[in-house]
Amino acid sequence: MDWLPVEHAREVDRGFAAPTLFEVSSFCNISYLRPTYSRKTCYVFLTAKWHISRRNATIKASSTRSVTPELALAEDANASPKTLPEDLENLRSVLLTDLTVTVTSLLDNALKPVSESLELIKQNIAAHANSIKAFETDLPARSDKVTQLETNYNELLSKCDMLTSKLDELENRSRRSNLRVLGVPEKMEGADPVEFMTQRFREICGSDTFPHPPLLDRAHRLGRSTDDGGERSSRPRPIIVRFHYYQDKEWVLAKRRGELSFRGHRIYIYPDLSTSLARQRAAFSGVKAA
């Protein structure tokens, strides 16, 4: 075998044949050898142990027999004291090499999933870093856009409030000639509510205020009647009246002070206002009562 240690050749020179793997295995107890060691390692290890055993046997035999000075000198001349240390050094080197390879392989197999996980984590961190960098780059521009949007929103909100106020003003101006009459029983106005309300206003204000019947453009109930599917209520629906002349409406409002009644029913007359303005006036009801 070309991989046998050089010490075996020295044993041959001394007249000893190098032991075969079978001879060494049969001579030594190999139960302590690890299965991960290579065949070469096992052979070197067993050869070294065989040398140690043989040296111990030689020493023991020399102690039990009588040795002449000539024989002792011859044995000393033929002995090679460096053989055993060199075998042990070779054994240590081979064992260290195999152990290094074995441990490296085991660590590589054990750490392979960890390495893959770390690589994936590195890739994710790199992707997140790129995303954060992109966000940081776009942040000033987006901040400027948000500031501009806030400015535009405030301007639009101010314009919306102004337009709402103007719209409410226009609605109230369009109702300036209107009056809202409450308390008139349902169907009492008959088929001609304009004529009915003309006569009622003349009765309320007197002939001295209206020598001639006031001119009305329209008069109608507010909401759907119960005959048309409207909700049934204990209160009659209000009547909306539009005067042709604004001054006639003001005369009626001036004469409505005090309690008004018509055929045993209490009548209430109010200006026809928008919902927003009516709520604003209702907020001051407590102040007026005080």
Side-chain angles (χ1 to χ4, degrees), residues 14-67:
R14 294 173 57 193
F16 300 102
T20 64
L21 181 60
F22 176 78
E23 292 174 344
V24 176
S25 300
S26 62
F27 181 79
C28 302
N29 181 15
I30 61 173
S31 60
Y32 52 83
L33 294 179
R34 293 184 57 184
T36 55
Y37 290 159
S38 65
R39 186 170 179 214
K40 179 180 178 180
T41 303
C42 294
Y43 186 84
V44 172
F45 184 83
L46 294 174
T47 303
K49 186 173 182 180
W50 182 81
H51 280 301
I52 295 171
S53 300
R54 191 163 184 175
R55 176 65 59 86
N56 292 336
T58 302
I59 295 173
K60 184 177 180 180
S62 298
S63 61
T64 57
R65 63 186 177 89
S66 59
V67 180

Side-chain angles (χ1 to χ4, degrees), residues 71-81:
L71 181 60
L73 291 175
E75 290 180 355
D76 293 339
N78 294 329
S80 178

Side-chain angles (χ1 to χ4, degrees), residues 203-223:
E203 291 178 6
I204 292 172
C205 298
S207 57
D208 55 341
T209 303
F210 292 119
H212 303 285
L215 183 60
L216 303 180
D217 291 340
R218 290 186 301 277
H220 60 84
R221 294 273 183 178
L222 186 62

Side-chain angles (χ1 to χ4, degrees), residues 4-11 14 44-45 47-49 51-52 55 80-95:
L4 291 177
V6 294
E7 287 74 18
H8 300 165
R10 292 196 180 100
E11 292 294 336
R14 294 173 57 193
V44 172
F45 184 83
T47 303
K49 186 173 182 180
H51 280 301
I52 295 171
R55 176 65 59 86
S80 178
K82 295 183 179 180
T83 302
L84 182 59
E86 290 179 358
D87 288 340
L88 292 177
E89 181 64 25
N90 290 335
L91 175 62
R92 187 190 69 82
S93 177
V94 173
L95 289 176

Side-chain angles (χ1 to χ4, degrees), residues 24-274:
V24 176
S25 300
S26 62
F27 181 79
C28 302
N29 181 15
I30 61 173
S31 60
Y32 52 83
L33 294 179
R34 293 184 57 184
T36 55
Y37 290 159
S38 65
R39 186 170 179 214
K40 179 180 178 180
T41 303
C42 294
Y43 186 84
V44 172
F45 184 83
L46 294 174
T47 303
K49 186 173 182 180
W50 182 81
H51 280 301
I52 295 171
S53 300
R54 191 163 184 175
R55 176 65 59 86
N56 292 336
T58 302
I59 295 173
K60 184 177 180 180
S62 298
S63 61
T64 57
R65 63 186 177 89
S66 59
V67 180
T68 62
E70 293 80 7
L71 181 60
L73 291 175
E75 290 180 355
D76 293 339
N78 294 329
S80 178
K82 295 183 179 180
T83 302
L84 182 59
E86 290 179 358
D87 288 340
L88 292 177
E89 181 64 25
N90 290 335
L91 175 62
R92 187 190 69 82
S93 177
V94 173
L95 289 176
L96 182 61
T97 302
D98 284 354
L99 181 61
T100 303
V101 173
T102 302
V103 172
T104 303
S105 177
L106 292 176
L107 287 177
D108 290 341
N109 294 333
L111 295 178
K112 184 177 180 181
V114 178
S115 300
E116 294 177 353
S117 300
L118 290 177
E119 186 65 25
L120 182 60
I121 292 174
K122 289 180 180 179
Q123 294 176 2
N124 293 335
I125 292 175
H128 291 322
N130 294 333
S131 300
I132 293 173
K133 185 176 181 180
F135 287 148
E136 291 177 350
T137 303
D138 296 341
L139 184 60
R142 295 181 184 274
S143 180
D144 295 340
K145 289 182 180 180
V146 170
T147 303
Q148 184 64 35
L149 288 176
E150 290 179 351
T151 303
N152 296 339
Y153 169 77
N154 293 330
E155 292 179 356
L156 291 175
L157 186 62
S158 177
K159 289 181 180 180
C160 181
D161 293 340
M162 181 185 63
L163 292 175
T164 302
S165 178
K166 286 187 176 182
L167 180 61
D168 186 67
E169 181 184 359
L170 291 174
E171 183 179 358
N172 286 299
R173 285 182 179 274
S174 67
R175 297 186 180 194
R176 291 184 64 187
S177 299
N178 295 356
L179 287 179
R180 182 173 296 207
V181 182
L182 306 179
V184 179
E186 291 281 347
K187 300 182 180 180
M188 183 176 287
E189 69 277 11
D192 191 0
V194 174
E195 181 63 24
F196 174 79
M197 294 307 302
T198 300
Q199 297 301 326
R200 300 295 77 77
F201 286 140
R202 191 176 185 186
E203 291 178 6
I204 292 172
C205 298
S207 57
D208 55 341
T209 303
F210 292 119
H212 303 285
L215 183 60
L216 303 180
D217 291 340
R218 290 186 301 277
H220 60 84
R221 294 273 183 178
L222 186 62
R224 299 174 61 183
S225 64
T226 55
D227 298 338
D228 295 336
E231 296 182 0
R232 188 177 301 275
S233 176
S234 58
R235 294 182 179 182
R237 292 175 296 159
I239 298 177
I240 305 297
V241 180
R242 182 176 182 82
F243 288 82
H244 187 75
Y245 297 106
Y246 174 77
Q247 192 62 34
D248 291 347
K249 186 213 67 167
E250 291 297 319
W251 282 114
V252 173
L253 285 178
K255 294 293 183 179
R256 72 182 175 89
R257 307 299 180 186
E259 183 176 345
L260 301 177
S261 62
F262 173 71
R263 297 180 184 179
H265 300 281
R266 299 185 64 179
I267 304 299
Y268 302 92
I269 301 176
Y270 299 100
D272 185 29
L273 305 175
S274 65

